Amino acid sequence: MPLSHLLPLLFLASVLVSCSQRDFDPATEQAKLLRRDAEWANLASAGKDIEKIVSYWSDDGVLIFPRQPVLDGKAAIRA
């Protein structure tokens, strides 16, 4: 079989393999997310370790509260 016929088959095979279903359990992922959210809520309500609380946001995180200035970035969130 010539190479020009083989390349489209290899491409198709790689696309099919890359689109295959991965091991994903929505219930497990939901439990992880809820556990992480509970951790943050406990830290935030205690208010003792500000660095740990702020660590849950990315460097470009944004907080928007009604009738308040926008907090843009970790430095603003930390303040």
Side-chain angles (χ1 to χ4, degrees):
M1 178 179 261
L3 186 58
S4 61
H5 291 255
L6 189 57
L7 286 176
L9 290 175
L10 288 174
F11 176 74
L12 179 62
S14 67
V15 168
L16 291 175
V17 168
S18 66
C19 294
S20 65
Q21 181 68 23
R22 301 285 192 259
D23 291 334
F24 179 78
D25 181 17
T28 301
E29 294 303 315
Q30 179 184 20
K32 282 193 230 175
L33 181 60
L34 291 173
R35 190 170 40 252
R36 186 83 167 158
D37 185 58
E39 288 172 10
W40 178 85
N42 290 337
L43 284 169
S45 64
K48 295 177 182 173
D49 188 355
I50 192 69
E51 291 305 316
K52 185 73 171 169
I53 295 167
V54 173
S55 74
Y56 283 82
W57 280 280
S58 63
D59 291 335
D60 60 349
V62 176
L63 295 181
I64 302 172
F65 296 105
R67 295 178 298 280
Q68 297 292 323
V70 173
L71 302 176
D72 191 3
K74 273 191 177 179
I77 294 169
R78 188 177 289 112

